[in-house]
Every structure is written in C-alpha cells, then in structure tokens.
C-alpha cells in the first residue's frame, strides 16, 4: 500500500524489556513469547501506545495508569506498559518505558510509535518518493 494511504508502517516485535526477561528467567519461570505485528510511526502522537491485548500476550508489565487524550479517548484512564519494540529487518530496538494501552487491533496494528520513542531516532519521510527511513 502507498505511504500516503496507510502512513509509515513497520513490522515490529513487541516484547518485555531485557531486565524484565532476566528477572523472569532468573526465577526459572517461562518468559512469554514476543508478539509480532505492525506499528504505525505517528509523529502526531506525543506518547507511544500498544494494543492492550498484544501487551498482555507479550507479558508486558503494567507500570502505571494514566489519562489518555486523543481523538478517540477523551481523558480516559488506561494502563501504561513497559516493553521493547524491535523493528524487524532493521535490528532497531526501541525502548518504551511508558506505552499507553489502547485498542489498536481494529486498525491492524499492535503499536503506535509516538514522539517519546521517536526522540531516540532519525526519521526521514519522503512523500514524493512514497518512502521513509528510520535509524538510531
């Protein structure tokens, strides 16, 4: 699909942070499997969001809750998760220490990568070429 129709989407692996995995493994417990799906790079979002169902399947811990302000959420309190988002094929690992839990499955997504996480990156959006690049 064209960049102008669906925006900059990347396939990601949603997983626990390394320190979370180490703590679970250190107890001899099984680490939940990461979840693979698509993320939209959303420069209009101040905070990164993850699909709550995908976060649960990946075993992301709820680290807080807070109000979400968006077009679809008017000051609704949602869970806040900590996890990592690895862009497949690029080996770019982005840390999301405060990702807001929302329903993204209807959009075919497991995450929206917001400006909080994008602050770790260089993003080039080339509209005329219908391409984008992201790097750390």
């Amino acid at each position: 699909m064209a960049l102008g129709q669906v925006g900059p989407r990347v396939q990601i692996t949603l997983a626990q942070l390394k320190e979370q995995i180490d703590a679970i493994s250190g107890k001899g417990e099984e680490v939940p499997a990461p979840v693979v799906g698509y993320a939209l790079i959303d420069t209009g979002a101040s905070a990164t969001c993850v699909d709550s169902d995908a976060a649960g399947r990946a075993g992301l811990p709820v680290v807080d809750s807070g109000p979400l302000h968006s077009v679809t959420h008017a000051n609704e309190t949602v869970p806040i998760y900590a996890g990592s988002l690895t862009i497949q094929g690029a080996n770019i690992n982005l840390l999301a220490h405060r990702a807001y839990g929302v329903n993204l499955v209807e959009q075919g997504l497991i995450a929206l990568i917001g400006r909080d996480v994008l602050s770790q990156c260089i993003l080039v959006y080339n509209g005329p070429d219908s391409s984008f690049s992201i790097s750390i």
Side-chain angles (χ1 to χ4, degrees):
M1 289 190 181
L3 184 62
Q5 292 176 323
V6 298
R9 288 183 181 217
V10 290
Q11 190 169 30
I12 65 163
T13 301
L14 179 64
Q16 294 184 18
L17 296 170
K18 183 183 179 326
E19 53 267 21
Q20 296 162 344
I21 293 170
D22 291 345
I24 293 170
S25 297
K27 295 178 192 174
E29 297 175 5
E30 187 175 335
V31 176
V35 175
V36 175
Y38 286 95
L40 176 67
I41 297 172
D42 189 351
T43 61
S46 58
T48 294
C49 297
V50 293
D51 181 74
S52 292
D53 181 59
R57 287 183 288 140
L60 301 189
V62 174
V63 296
D64 200 357
S65 64
L68 182 66
H69 308 280
S70 73
V71 173
T72 58
H73 296 80
N75 200 26
E76 179 181 335
T77 300
V78 298
I80 298 174
Y81 299 94
S84 72
L85 297 82
T86 302
I87 299 175
Q88 294 191 345
N91 199 28
I92 296 175
N93 186 29
L94 304 170
L95 305 179
H97 294 284
R98 295 186 57 80
Y100 287 75
V102 296
N103 180 356
L104 296 171
V105 72
E106 293 171 7
Q107 299 172 48
L109 301 171
I110 62 169
L112 292 175
I113 303 174
R115 293 189 309 267
D116 58 336
V117 169
L118 289 173
S119 67
Q120 304 170 38
C121 306
I122 297 170
L123 173 66
V124 176
Y125 186 102
N126 185 337
D129 189 42
S130 193
S131 67
F132 70 96
S133 64
I134 187 168
S135 62
I136 295 183

